[in-house]
Amino acid sequence: MPRFQLRQLDDHLLSLRWRDDLHGVRRFALEFLYFGIKEARACLFAGLFFAAVFLVPRSGLFGIARYDVLFVFAVAVQLWMVRARLETVDELKAITLFHVIGFALEAFKTSSGIQSWVYPEAGVTKLFGVPLFSGFMYAAIGSYITQAWKMLGMRIEHHPPYWMAGLLACLIYVNFFTHHFIGDYRWYLAACALGLYARSTVVFRPLDRERRMPLLLGFVLTGFFIWLAENIGTFFGVWKYPNQLGAWSAVHVSKWSAWSLLVMMTFTITANLKHIKQHVHIPAQRPEPAAVPVREP
């Protein structure tokens, strides 16, 4: 039944017709409503996963530790989404890559020599002191982006060349590791991103008409909502920063910029999916002017 209802909802959201009867406040209200519905649908995996993070008791369920329950739940949801054709196999491969990338970062950040944060609870599904479910927090971002492409009919105008975007994404990821040893170059990378994506625009369709927004603004807004979710996660004690071991305090606002850069990196990987590449416009390089023959006297 849930599968059937979701497919019906998807069919409705993807087949909205042109509306000439909407104007002014009424149009704004309906577009805003449908934008919210489509965003919620795109957040299906992220919403279910983080709902489980917040609702599963610290003591776990049925004698199973909380970290293990979350891992089994996340795997089950991913398999269900593929089986229900809410997610393609190619999208699942990309999301699995996000999981691996995220887990590697988690393992480094929680290592004895770094200890940026800790996972204080026990669990069978822990590797290098990191619960395997943690990688799904990064996979949730990838799942949201791939679903948003479909739900909002997104396309990108003036996207930078893939090799430039890929190089910047690699540098962003490497900086998450190296800033512990050679300094944090986050703001230099952000400055490069400003130049690289200055003309990039995301075109999306909340209802029946296309709307535009700077792609950089999309990265920043998505990073902000992840930062809010991180505050909720630490409040419930799923993981803790060193300054939260005694009593909870808000995650430092600087994490917002880190999440925004991570979203940019995730977006770059997603944009390489075959069915998404068709909706990414990269301006062609200007051809060199043809040589003009010179007549000899």
Side-chain angles (χ1 to χ4, degrees), residues 177-211:
F177 294 86
T178 59
H179 81 84
H180 292 281
F181 311 107
I182 61 173
D184 190 355
Y185 293 95
R186 179 188 318 177
W187 298 113
Y188 296 97
L189 294 171
C192 290
L194 284 173
L196 197 61
Y197 290 96
R199 298 181 60 204
S200 300
T201 302
V202 56
V203 182
F204 59 99
R205 191 171 59 251
L207 184 59
D208 59 337
R209 300 181 182 180
E210 289 187 336
R211 303 300 179 188

Side-chain angles (χ1 to χ4, degrees), residues 276-288:
I276 289 180
K277 269 189 173 182
Q278 301 171 1
H279 303 281
V280 177
H281 166 251
I282 300 176
Q285 294 181 351
R286 293 182 179 179
E288 295 182 1

Side-chain angles (χ1 to χ4, degrees), residues 14-33:
L14 295 173
S15 61
L16 296 173
R17 297 180 179 179
W18 186 267
R19 299 284 300 271
D20 289 321
D21 58 321
L22 295 176
H23 306 282
V25 176
R26 188 183 174 195
R27 166 166 287 280
F28 172 81
L30 196 59
E31 284 200 18
F32 188 78
L33 173 63

Side-chain angles (χ1 to χ4, degrees), residues 58 66-67 106 109-110 114-121 129 131 133 137 230-252 255:
R58 295 191 181 189
R66 173 163 63 163
Y67 292 166
E106 291 282 321
K109 292 287 189 178
T110 58
I114 304 300
Q115 293 185 329
S116 295
W117 55 83
V118 295
Y119 289 93
E121 300 174 22
F133 87 86
M137 293 187 288
E230 185 180 30
N231 274 281
I232 299 174
T234 56
F235 179 80
F236 282 89
V238 181
W239 69 94
K240 293 182 178 181
Y241 290 97
N243 65 316
Q244 296 173 326
L245 295 178
W248 182 83
S249 60
V251 178
H252 196 276
K255 294 291 182 180

Side-chain angles (χ1 to χ4, degrees), residues 1 101 206 284 286:
M1 188 66 173
I101 290 173
R286 293 182 179 179

Side-chain angles (χ1 to χ4, degrees), residues 24 79 99 161 198 215 229 251 259:
L79 293 177
H99 185 286
L215 184 56
V251 178
W259 280 117

Side-chain angles (χ1 to χ4, degrees), residues 13 50-51 55 65 73 103 106 109 118 138 142 144 155 178 284 287:
L13 294 177
F50 283 103
L55 294 176
F73 177 80
F103 182 83
E106 291 282 321
K109 292 287 189 178
V118 295
Y138 301 84
Y144 161 73
R155 57 188 178 87
T178 59

